[in-house]
Structures are given as C-alpha cells and as structure tokens.
Amino acid sequence: MAVMYSCCSEGQCDMLYNQTFNLDQVAFTSEGIKDAQQNMRTLKLANKELKGMMKTVKIQDIDNMQDEMMDMMDISIEIQESVGRSYSVLDDIDEDDLMGELDALEADMGQETEGEGVPSYLQPDNEPDMNEELNLPTAPSEHAVPAGRVNNQESTNYTLLNILFFVRLISDE
C-alpha cells in the first residue's frame, strides 16, 4: 500500500483506511436496517394472514373431531373383534389329544394311498352304469397335480403342521 500512496504520509493513509472502513460499516448497517424493515413487513403480512385463518379454526371443532375419530376407532376395534370371533372352538384343547388325532389322520391318509399312490376318493368308480345314467364325463385315468403343487408326504406333513399351528393360535387367544 505504501507504494500506491507514496505521495501520502503514513497518517494520511491510515485516515483513508479508516474512512473506507467507516463507509463500509455504514453500508453494512444500512443493508441490515433495510433487511429488518423487509422482515417486519413480511411478519405483519404473515400475522394478518394467520389471524384470518385462526378465525376459521376453532379449538372446540378440533376437539369434537378428535372425539369422533376416537369413537370411530373404538367401533372399528369392536367390529374387528366381532368378525374375528371363533365359533365352536373349545377353550381347553388338549394338545396330546390333538396330536393323536393328527397322527390317526396321517395314518388313514397313508392307508388310502398305499395301493396305487392315489387316494380312494380320487380313483375311478367301479360302477360305469351310474356315470351313463347321469350322463357325466369320465374322470381322467391319471392323477393330475396342479402346477406348482407337490404330491408327497412332506406336503401332507406341512399341511398338518399348519393346521396344528392354527389351532394353537386360536387356543392361545
């Protein structure tokens, strides 16, 4: 800076720096005041808008709506409980008895499929004259399994386990 103001004394240079600093401070303060004025105008407009909106909102209306919502939720819970009620399910189901019945069912299913691997109720009838009287189409001779299904003992066991799980779930409620 000394090179730039070589004609000025050091005191004159300091005075120029101070004047520049003061002018910058005044400009900064002026900008701050303008921003504060703009903020005040914005706050006044927002206050006016909020007052207008608050006239349309009543706390009593909000409380009434909340009460209605709680009543509807209670009714919904009652409906769900009513729909979810079980019919003729004993409260005191003995798991050992249930397992015994499931084992007996499994044994019966195993006996039915021992012959040709097809349960008796899926085998063709030995009375062809009955089909002719009713004019029904003949059943397919092969055992058809829908796509995606498995016809084996594991599938049967899985189904029985699902039934057992469902019964336990109901008895726990």
Side-chain angles (χ1 to χ4, degrees), residues 12-170:
Q12 289 174 332
C13 285
D14 287 339
M15 187 173 60
L16 283 174
Y17 287 134
N18 288 337
Q19 287 175 355
T20 305
F21 177 77
N22 289 340
L23 288 174
D24 288 342
Q25 285 294 87
V26 168
F28 179 74
T29 304
S30 176
E31 289 291 322
I33 291 173
K34 287 178 184 177
D35 290 342
Q37 289 173 340
Q38 182 63 35
N39 286 341
M40 283 299 295
R41 283 191 292 270
T42 305
L43 286 173
K44 284 180 183 179
L45 287 173
N47 189 21
K48 184 178 177 181
E49 287 291 320
L50 284 174
K51 283 181 181 179
M53 285 191 243
M54 291 304 287
K55 288 179 183 177
T56 62
V57 177
K58 296 181 179 130
I59 192 71
Q60 185 62 39
D61 292 343
I62 294 171
D63 287 339
N64 290 341
M65 184 176 56
Q66 289 290 338
D67 291 340
E68 288 176 14
M69 293 294 289
M70 288 300 293
D71 291 342
M72 286 191 282
M73 292 298 293
D74 290 339
I75 291 169
S76 174
I77 290 170
E78 287 178 27
I79 290 170
Q80 293 300 321
E81 287 174 355
S82 179
V83 169
R85 182 176 41 200
S86 60
Y87 302 106
S88 68
V89 176
L90 302 175
D91 291 335
D92 55 345
I93 296 176
D94 186 21
E95 286 187 34
D96 293 332
D97 290 343
L98 183 61
M99 287 303 292
E101 289 180 29
L102 288 174
D103 290 340
L105 280 172
E106 189 176 70
D108 287 346
M109 291 175 72
Q111 289 174 356
E112 286 180 350
T113 60
E114 282 178 5
E116 299 175 17
V118 177
S120 61
Y121 58 87
L122 291 178
Q123 294 178 357
D125 288 335
N126 294 333
E127 302 176 16
D129 57 314
M130 184 68 139
N131 285 340
E132 291 172 9
E133 286 179 21
L134 296 175
N135 197 20
L136 296 174
T138 57
S141 61
E142 297 178 10
H143 180 64
V145 177
R149 287 194 81 179
V150 178
N151 188 15
N152 59 22
Q153 190 66 28
E154 290 179 21
S155 153
T156 303
N157 289 341
Y158 182 74
T159 303
L160 291 174
L161 287 173
N162 280 337
I163 292 169
L164 178 63
F165 174 75
F166 181 71
V167 170
R168 284 184 183 168
L169 182 67
I170 291 173

